[in-house]
Amino acid sequence: MLPPDFDVSKVDDARLRRIAEALKVYGGYVVDRNVGTPFVVYCEIGSNAKLHTAKLWNSRAASDLERMRLALRRVSSAKGWLDGNGKPVELRQPMNLLSMRGAWRSERDDAQARFETWQQAVVLKDAKAGLAVVNNSGRHITAVNWAKPQPGQKLTLTARTGNGATLRLQLRGGEQGAKGAVAYDSGDLADGKSVTFEWPEKFAGSRLVVRATASGDCWARGDLLPAST
């Protein structure tokens, strides 16, 4: 985040000023780390916040952006949380550990699948009954250290689907990484169906499958939470 005393009034470009204000209030998160490459801030898709063009380099904005980069500080703790309306909230409920983001591909056909941000789900357009899309990216499970499932921990997966789609989660185990044996397979879960299982001792990757059971548009996501005791 940018510290509270960072002076956004000195940021010349109004578009970059809004970004600086957002970094002071909400912060941001690292999506990629490299050596010897430029510093880039990714904005919401559709914001059209392009500070430079192919013909014009905005040197003042580049200077302000570098000043912002030097002022950024890692967030090590938080006293509390605010909701979308700026009101304090207490996070009493456990957070979902499963993400539907990533590259989806058709298993046998030319299915059109995409991740829909508002639904937090993968959406299939004009799907045929039986068609399936697969995500092998391995990024389905949270990478946040303090939120990662622990070996032997009991978790419950609940499918949330529309128009008859099913959700399937497979986990690999062992020491072989992507080539590890299947340690758990939920099977195809219809809307509202749940399974409870133990997290593998040596987690080596995950695979998600969404299958259409009827023709037309459908969608699927899942809730992966610690099992109730």
Side-chain angles (χ1 to χ4, degrees), residues 62-208:
S63 177
D64 284 338
L65 189 60
E66 175 65 6
R67 188 164 58 85
M68 289 166 54
R69 183 187 71 82
L70 293 172
L72 284 170
R73 295 293 181 267
R74 181 177 179 178
V75 178
S76 58
S77 64
K79 292 182 179 180
W81 306 94
L82 303 178
D83 64 14
N85 297 314
K87 296 181 179 180
V89 294
E90 291 185 26
L91 299 179
R92 296 180 178 176
Q93 298 298 322
M95 292 168 38
N96 188 6
L97 304 178
L98 185 69
S99 171
M100 303 300 289
R101 295 178 181 272
W104 290 87
R105 62 174 180 80
S106 177
E107 197 172 48
R108 292 187 303 271
D109 205 340
D110 295 328
Q112 300 298 316
R114 74 178 191 281
F115 174 74
E116 182 64 46
T117 303
W118 288 108
Q119 290 180 261
Q120 290 293 298
V122 61
V123 177
L124 280 68
K125 287 291 185 181
D126 299 322
K128 299 176 182 178
L131 183 146
V133 291
V134 181
N135 188 333
N136 290 313
S137 67
R139 301 176 64 184
H140 319 120
I141 309 301
T142 179
V144 179
N145 288 333
W146 55 263
K148 288 180 180 179
Q150 299 302 308
Q153 180 182 4
K154 286 190 175 182
L155 299 171
T156 297
L157 171 66
T158 304
R160 309 294 183 189
T161 69
N163 196 26
T166 61
L167 175 69
R168 184 175 189 171
L169 172 65
Q170 294 177 322
L171 303 176
R172 295 188 298 273
E175 303 286 356
Q176 303 177 45
K179 297 181 180 179
V182 175
Y184 176 74
D185 191 335
S186 70
D188 291 338
L189 302 176
D191 183 45
K193 297 296 182 181
S194 298
V195 289
T196 298
F197 62 96
E198 288 190 3
W199 195 253
E201 288 295 326
K202 295 181 179 179
F203 173 64
S206 56
R207 181 175 186 263
L208 281 175

